[in-house]
Amino acid sequence: MSEPSPDEGIVLTEEQKRRRRNRSIAIALSLAALVALFYVVTIVKLGPGVLNRPM
Amino acid sequence: MSVVSEGADLRGPLGSERVFAQPSSASVRDYIALLKPRVMSLVVFTALVGIVIAPGHVHPVIGFTALLCIAIGAGAAGALNMWYDADIDARMTRTAGRPIPAGRMEPGEALAFGLTLSIGSVIVLGLLVNLFAGALLAFTIFFYVVVYTMWLKRSTPQNIVIGGAAGAFPPMVGWASVTGSLTLEPIILFLIIFFWTPPHFWALALYRADDYARAGVPMLPVVSGPTETRRQILLYTLLLAPLAVAPWFLGFAGPVYGVVATVAGAIMLWLAVKVKVEREGFVAARQLFAFSILYLFLLFAVLLAEQGLNAVIGRLV
């Protein structure tokens, strides 16, 4: 791989890209788990009352 | 987590002169290591016991949420500890491979990670479970990071005695998650872990004294010498062994717990006496360190098992 010119800024290595991708996936999974947790806890706390709302 | 503006100077506790303008090379595994998973497993276990033995009913989902928040809060405190102690960790064999001293992660990343999880776990526990438990978790994190890590650890040989309280809070937080209050039972569980911590850590510090001395951490064997440490280990074990039987006397543990706590306490005492009379080498200290982990695990496992058994019998009768 040729040396990047200064104009290119920071160029990630393949390993850095792989790690960044893995970190991104971990963050996405954590956020999805948090959404699921909030959903389930809402159902548990409100029970049938979750459907009881003014229309 | 990885974006740092060009030329930004984010010097960490390591005091490095390097300008951190490089992208992060930390892996997911490094972030998990920041949470101190082995410590976290003990926290989860003792907090679970607090949740299970607390009177009253808690919905399993709420119980799970409480446990998750306590685990994440404990992990966050561990991450903040690793951020602040990176300079010490770099000088100790046992901790030199941690993400920051090993150079795989910048201190700022650990700080951001620890703060985010600390605030998140406290807010979620406070809003989804109850405010008192959330406040107690916030105090636990504050105690571990500020009182123990930033203040006591580098300034007094009593660091792990007072700082041990941070590790003793989880069963109280677990109990508070169910009841929204504290009574004598969780305080007894707190005291058991509190008095267990000094003999446990000082047994380790006895044979790791060189490591601590090199890092400049004033552990008791470094400051007062091995003879005084051996004496103090025995004194704390003398307090711990009868205290561990207290749940049986007070009626919130059954006879099986009483027998296990008495026998295991006697073994702890016997090993502490061996440590006291040991003049050369650290065979007894290693034995005490290893057994102390089993001891605490046994106490809480039996409490948990008895409660589970009672629940089953309660349904059958």
Side-chain angles (χ1 to χ4, degrees):
Chain A
M1 202 170 78
S2 63
E3 196 67 23
S5 73
D7 295 342
E8 289 179 67
I10 295 170
V11 177
L12 298 183
T13 63
E14 285 307 310
E15 178 63 14
Q16 284 171 331
K17 281 182 187 168
R18 192 182 65 79
R19 291 188 177 192
R20 184 177 65 178
R21 181 177 159 74
N22 286 343
R23 289 198 303 270
S24 301
I25 291 170
I27 292 170
L29 290 176
S30 305
L31 289 175
L34 205 58
V35 169
L37 181 72
F38 287 166
Y39 176 77
V40 174
V41 170
T42 304
I43 299 294
V44 166
K45 282 200 167 248
L46 295 179
V50 76
L51 298 174
N52 188 12
R53 60 197 174 100
M55 297 302 282
Chain B
M1 282 181 211
S2 62
V3 179
V4 178
S5 62
E6 196 174 346
D9 185 359
L10 294 179
R11 280 173 210 170
L14 281 171
S16 164
E17 288 303 313
R18 202 172 107 216
V19 174
F20 297 132
Q22 290 304 309
S24 174
S25 42
S27 65
V28 173
R29 188 180 296 226
D30 290 326
Y31 278 96
I32 292 171
L34 277 187
L35 300 174
K36 298 192 177 182
R38 284 172 67 184
V39 176
M40 194 198 265
S41 63
L42 194 63
V43 166
V44 167
F45 183 54
T46 56
L48 176 66
V49 174
I51 291 173
V52 170
I53 70 166
H57 173 74
V58 63
H59 192 285
V61 171
I62 302 297
F64 169 78
T65 306
L67 205 56
L68 184 70
C69 290
I70 296 168
I72 299 291
L80 292 172
N81 168 275
M82 283 201 206
W83 160 72
Y84 192 81
D85 275 350
D87 57 336
I88 293 179
D89 288 347
R91 292 200 291 269
M92 290 175 58
T93 319
R94 185 172 66 88
T95 52
R98 286 177 174 175
I100 303 174
R104 298 192 302 274
M105 184 183 278
E106 304 300 351
E109 295 180 85
L111 175 64
F113 186 59
L115 283 177
T116 306
L117 293 189
S118 295
I119 294 167
S121 61
V122 167
I123 290 177
V124 172
L125 186 63
L127 292 180
L128 300 191
V129 181
N130 68 61
L131 286 177
F132 182 64
L136 209 53
L137 181 64
F139 181 71
T140 305
I141 297 170
F142 167 81
F143 199 91
Y144 184 68
V145 176
V146 178
V147 178
Y148 170 68
T149 304
M150 295 184 178
W151 177 30
L152 296 171
K153 186 171 176 180
R154 297 170 193 241
S155 61
T156 167
Q158 296 301 309
N159 48 15
I160 54 119
V161 178
I162 308 165
F169 280 124
M172 287 172 75
V173 185
W175 179 286
S177 299
V178 179
T179 65
S181 63
L182 288 176
T183 50
L184 183 64
E185 294 93 330
I187 293 172
I188 294 289
L189 297 184
F190 167 87
L191 288 174
I192 290 173
I193 304 177
F194 183 78
F195 283 103
W196 168 87
T197 308
H200 169 75
F201 271 109
W202 283 335
L204 171 76
L206 267 176
Y207 58 90
R208 299 267 191 187
D210 290 348
D211 238 12
Y212 285 110
R214 196 164 47 243
V217 180
M219 289 295 275
L220 194 63
V222 178
V223 176
S224 305
T227 308
E228 176 61 15
T229 307
R230 292 171 192 277
R231 193 178 74 87
Q232 297 256 0
I233 285 176
L234 181 57
L235 288 177
Y236 274 93
T237 311
L238 279 168
L239 288 169
L240 170 66
L243 187 69
V245 190
W248 178 41
F249 281 120
L250 292 171
F252 67 96
V256 178
Y257 176 87
V259 171
V260 170
T262 306
V263 173
I267 297 172
M268 272 294 283
L269 264 176
W270 173 62
L271 289 172
V273 170
K274 273 180 72 178
V275 170
K276 173 78 174 70
V277 299
E278 191 174 53
R279 284 286 163 263
E280 282 187 15
F282 299 105
V283 176
R286 286 176 192 276
Q287 286 174 341
L288 180 66
F289 176 73
F291 184 75
S292 65
I293 298 169
L294 179 66
Y295 176 63
L296 194 69
F297 173 77
L298 270 178
L299 294 180
F300 279 80
V302 175
L303 267 178
L304 197 63
E306 275 188 343
Q307 200 66 26
L309 205 62
N310 286 343
V312 172
I313 291 171
R315 281 184 190 174
L316 291 177
V317 176

